[in-house]
């Protein structure tokens, strides 16, 4: 009994692994800062789901065609599937990022809008998502073609798939080999790939650097504010004695403390104090004039 990539059991395992792999992106979303809305997150993840399904079909096709060869090291389609999956989820991720950058640069050069990954407008538009999903799927297809060419140019890469399957084949269980090839190994690689890809296809929140002049201005304001605060504390400590004479010791300390905590909100008693001092001053002038 040989390793079969297509069948009832194989399809069930593939669907289960795909569901578990993309479900981990929900966990990733809860650790994001800032966190994407469910709609934006759905737009981003759906691009991976569509392109991932296309890549899965391509890997099955390539593995079936390669496994049908008469060469001794290419008769096992599972070895070819493991090889393609391993290359797609490792060096393939770098190829995807490179192709996305290339297409975005070409879009900027020819003034094509709506292709900046993760930017769907306000409110989010499905038309912009469709453009970006098309570009992402095109990047995945270009990556797959690059991997196929790399395997053809460097035949020693075929040994990677065989080496990974050696411990599994020692069990002499084709069904366990299917579980490993279609479930265990893809689950690990797909989680890694989906998390990395999700990081660079979502909207990037760039940090705006502070210029030297702005930094110097902020430091100057901080020093002035610190000096003013020190002077204010000194004034309050002196005003406590004046407030004590007007309102009594306890009330004077309470008003001074309130002014210290809220320097821009003059307490009502202070207005009363100011008015009473104004009246006393006017009365003293009136007495002197008489």
């Amino acid at each position: 009994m040989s390793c079969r990539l297509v069948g009832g059991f194989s399809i069930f395992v593939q669907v289960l692994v795909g569901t578990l792999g993309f479900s981990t992106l929900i966990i990733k979303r809860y650790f994001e800062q800032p966190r994407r809305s469910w709609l934006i997150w759905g737009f981003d993840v759906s691009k991976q789901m569509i392109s991932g399904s296309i890549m899965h079909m391509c890997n099955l096709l390539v593995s079936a065609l390669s496994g049908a060869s008469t060469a001794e090291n290419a008769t096992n389609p599972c070895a070819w599937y493991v090889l393609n999956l391993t290359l797609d989820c490792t060096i393939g991720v770098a190829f995807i990022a490179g192709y996305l950058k290339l297409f975005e640069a070409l879009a900027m050069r020819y003034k094509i809008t709506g292709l900046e990954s993760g930017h769907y407008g306000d409110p989010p538009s499905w038309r912009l998502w469709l453009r970006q999903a098309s570009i992402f799927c095109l990047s995945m297809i270009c990556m797959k073609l690059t991997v196929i060419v790399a395997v053809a140019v460097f035949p020693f890469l075929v040994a990677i798939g065989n080496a990974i399957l050696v411990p599994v084949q020692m069990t002499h269980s084709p069904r366990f080999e299917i579980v490993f090839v279609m479930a265990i190994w893809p689950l690990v690689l797909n989680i890694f790939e989906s998390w990395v890809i999700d990081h660079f296809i979502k909207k990037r929140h760039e940090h705006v650097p502070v210029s030297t002049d702005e930094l110097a201005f902020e430091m100057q304001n901080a020093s002035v504010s610190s000096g003013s605060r020190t002077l204010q504390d000194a004034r309050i400590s002196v005003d406590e004695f004046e407030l004590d004479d007007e309102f009594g010791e306890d009330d004077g300390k309470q008003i001074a403390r309130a002014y210290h905590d809220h320097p821009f909100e003059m307490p009502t008693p202070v207005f009363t104090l100011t008015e009473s001092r104004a009246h006393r001053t006017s009365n003293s002038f009136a007495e002197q004039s008489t």
Side-chain angles (χ1 to χ4, degrees), residues 4-256:
R4 296 181 57 188
L5 296 175
V6 180
F9 182 73
S10 302
I11 293 175
F12 170 75
V13 172
Q14 294 167 31
V15 173
L16 180 62
V17 169
T19 303
L20 292 176
F22 286 110
S23 297
T24 59
L25 292 174
I26 300 177
I27 301 175
K28 181 178 180 295
R29 177 183 176 270
Y30 280 100
F31 290 95
E32 292 180 347
Q33 292 295 335
R35 184 181 300 172
R36 287 170 289 180
S37 66
W38 283 110
L39 179 60
I40 299 300
W41 179 86
F43 277 176
D44 290 339
V45 173
S46 61
K47 290 189 287 187
Q48 285 203 66
M49 294 179 66
I50 295 173
S51 60
S53 300
I54 296 174
M55 285 302 99
H56 180 66
M57 297 301 176
C58 290
N59 285 335
L60 289 178
L61 179 62
V62 171
S63 302
L65 295 177
S66 302
S69 173
T70 56
E72 182 179 355
N73 61 347
T75 54
N76 188 353
C78 284
W80 281 94
Y81 185 83
V82 167
L83 172 64
N84 280 275
L85 185 66
T86 303
L87 295 179
D88 289 350
C89 296
T90 52
I91 62 174
V93 174
F95 289 147
I96 295 172
Y99 282 121
L100 281 177
K101 290 290 185 182
L102 174 62
F103 293 138
E104 288 183 1
L106 291 175
M108 292 180 61
R109 179 179 179 84
Y110 293 101
K111 296 180 173 57
I112 302 175
T113 59
L115 295 183
E116 188 176 358
S117 184
H119 294 259
Y120 305 107
D122 188 15
S125 170
W126 67 268
R127 291 183 176 87
L128 295 180
W129 168 85
L130 183 60
R131 295 180 189 178
Q132 296 178 27
S134 302
I135 292 298
F136 185 74
C137 290
L138 180 59
S139 301
M140 294 283 283
I141 293 174
C142 291
M143 178 273 294
K144 186 73 252 181
L145 294 176
T146 305
V147 169
I148 293 175
V149 172
V151 174
V153 174
F154 305 104
F156 65 88
L157 293 175
V158 178
I160 296 177
N162 292 325
I164 295 174
L165 283 183
V166 166
V168 179
Q169 291 174 340
M170 293 176 64
T171 62
H172 303 288
S173 173
R175 176 152 292 192
F176 177 72
E177 187 175 353
I178 285 292
V179 172
F180 179 84
V181 172
M182 289 295 182
I184 301 175
W185 192 246
L187 183 60
V188 175
L189 292 179
N190 285 336
I191 291 175
F192 168 78
E193 181 190 32
S194 60
W195 279 49
V196 174
I197 292 179
D198 183 69
H199 181 72
F200 63 74
I201 68 172
K202 69 179 183 179
K203 182 178 179 179
R204 292 178 288 274
H205 298 271
E206 297 180 354
H207 174 70
V208 179
V210 181
S211 63
T212 306
D213 295 337
E214 292 176 346
L215 184 59
F217 180 75
E218 292 181 0
M219 293 178 64
Q220 182 180 2
N221 286 344
S223 62
V224 171
S225 176
S226 177
S228 301
R229 191 68 179 177
T230 303
L231 179 61
Q232 187 183 80
D233 292 343
R235 288 176 51 196
I236 292 174
S237 62
V238 174
D239 289 345
E240 285 185 8
F241 295 100
E242 299 179 2
L243 292 169
D244 291 347
D245 294 339
E246 185 70 23
F247 294 98
E249 182 177 359
D250 295 336
D251 293 338
K253 290 184 178 180
Q254 184 177 1
I255 295 172

